[in-house]
Amino acid sequence: MSFLLSGTKPHYATFICVSVTNTRPHQLLITKVKKFSGSPTFTRRTQWTVEQLKQVNGINPNKDSPEFDLVFDNAVDQWVAGSSAEKCIFVQILYNACQTHLEGKSGSIRKSGKLGKLGRQKRGAHSEVGDGSTDSSPASGSRTLLARRKSYVPPKQTEFINCQSKLTGDACTMNLVIYRCKAFLNHMKKMMIANQIQSPGRCQLGQRATGSTEGNVVHRMNVALGERGDRLTRAEDKTLYVMHKAQQFADTAHKLALKYK
């Protein structure tokens, strides 16, 4: 996803990337890179691990907006996305990546703890069969494992504030598809406008008519996608309301059944 920093010059674009390493243990990285106009390569500027990301501020929890902030241990980055749809895609992917990474780290610690217990049980059984000369080995192993447990600091979860619930708690695949379609339409619209600006002398009457027709089609598709997203959001809200009412009705029926039993 392409993002432009506030106040930057138009001769280069700044991108923010989320990536996972191939080597174990896996690391979730957030990297800021530059791409100059006319150059196919990217230049890396800054890189952070997800443990350094303390907070993601969505700025406005009530409506889609392109602004958001990333708060790290030693820096605060203020961003303005190319569109609100691109920001929503990025925040939703970053939230899911943070949750998956945190669950993976917790699972690996639990797994190592279970393996340590299993190893102690096997060593204990072996010492019972032997002549008693290996009693110090289980004790030293248990002391080492206890020291590792005391030194272990659980990873802190990244805080997401001022973000819409459809990007974090109620995030679903349909929302991501809608935002990708919106971002694609915005990208096509910008490309059409840029082509018209670059060749103003060649715009004849037929080309103008074609350009206006394509612009109208893109606008109608954008409006239709926005309306579809609004309808899906309202449907989700109604579903949650009906589920809440059904739970209340079930509780009341249960109480009446107990009362008149």
Side-chain angles (χ1 to χ4, degrees):
M1 296 298 107
S2 61
F3 290 85
L4 295 177
L5 272 174
S6 304
T8 55
K9 298 179 181 180
H11 66 280
Y12 70 88
T14 305
F15 295 77
I16 188 80
C17 311
V18 179
S19 60
V20 181
T21 58
N22 293 328
T23 57
R24 292 180 180 274
H26 296 300
Q27 280 189 312
L28 181 62
L29 302 174
I30 301 168
T31 310
K32 184 163 61 175
V33 297
K34 277 184 179 180
K35 185 178 185 297
F36 291 89
S37 59
S39 174
T41 59
F42 295 88
T43 303
R44 187 172 72 178
R45 292 184 58 192
T46 315
Q47 189 173 68
W48 301 275
T49 62
V50 71
E51 287 78 14
Q52 294 175 291
L53 179 62
K54 300 304 178 185
Q55 189 183 89
V56 178
N57 189 347
I59 306 299
N60 194 335
N62 300 319
K63 68 174 183 178
D64 293 341
S65 63
E67 299 87 4
F68 68 97
D69 295 344
L70 300 178
V71 181
F72 298 95
D73 285 337
N74 55 356
V76 177
D77 262 18
Q78 296 180 338
W79 290 84
V80 178
S83 65
S84 58
E86 289 186 2
K87 171 217 172 172
C88 293
I89 293 172
F90 179 78
V91 172
Q92 188 171 351
I93 290 177
L94 180 60
Y95 177 80
N96 291 331
C98 290
Q99 297 295 315
T100 304
H101 180 74
L102 185 63
E103 291 174 1
K105 291 195 71 172
S106 301
S108 64
I109 291 296
R110 287 196 297 268
K111 185 176 180 181
S112 64
K114 291 180 180 178
L115 290 176
K117 290 180 181 178
L118 183 60
R120 289 202 306 273
Q121 290 175 359
K122 287 184 178 180
R123 287 194 296 270
H126 181 70
S127 62
E128 288 177 2
V129 175
D131 56 356
S133 60
T134 59
D135 290 341
S136 61
S137 176
S140 62
S142 62
R143 284 196 299 269
T144 304
L145 186 60
L146 184 60
R148 287 180 58 190
R149 285 181 178 175
K150 287 183 178 180
S151 62
Y152 169 69
V153 178
K156 293 183 180 180
Q157 190 171 1
T158 303
E159 185 183 14
F160 286 76
I161 64 171
N162 296 327
C163 296
Q164 295 168 291
S165 60
K166 60 184 177 182
L167 304 180
T168 54
D170 300 334
C172 64
T173 307
M174 182 59 67
N175 289 335
L176 194 58
V177 171
I178 292 173
Y179 289 132
R180 286 188 183 276
C181 292
K182 286 184 178 181
F184 174 74
L185 291 174
N186 289 331
H187 181 64
M188 293 296 295
K189 186 176 179 181
K190 290 178 181 178
M191 287 182 61
M192 291 170 55
I193 294 174
N195 290 334
Q196 290 178 1
I197 293 174
Q198 288 177 0
S199 57
R202 300 185 224 169
C203 291
Q204 299 175 356
L205 183 60
Q207 291 176 342
R208 288 178 184 174
T210 304
S212 62
T213 304
E214 292 177 353
N216 291 333
V217 171
V218 171
H219 177 70
R220 287 198 298 270
M221 291 179 66
N222 201 359
V223 171
L225 281 172
E227 293 176 352
R228 180 179 177 85
D230 293 338
R231 287 198 296 270
L232 285 171
T233 303
R234 289 196 296 270
E236 290 178 0
D237 294 339
K238 289 182 180 179
T239 302
L240 292 175
Y241 176 77
V242 171
M243 289 176 60
H244 180 67
K245 288 295 183 183
Q247 185 63 39
Q248 287 183 342
F249 180 78
D251 294 340
T252 304
H254 182 66
K255 291 178 181 178
L256 288 174
L258 293 176
K259 181 178 181 180
Y260 294 103
K261 186 176 181 180

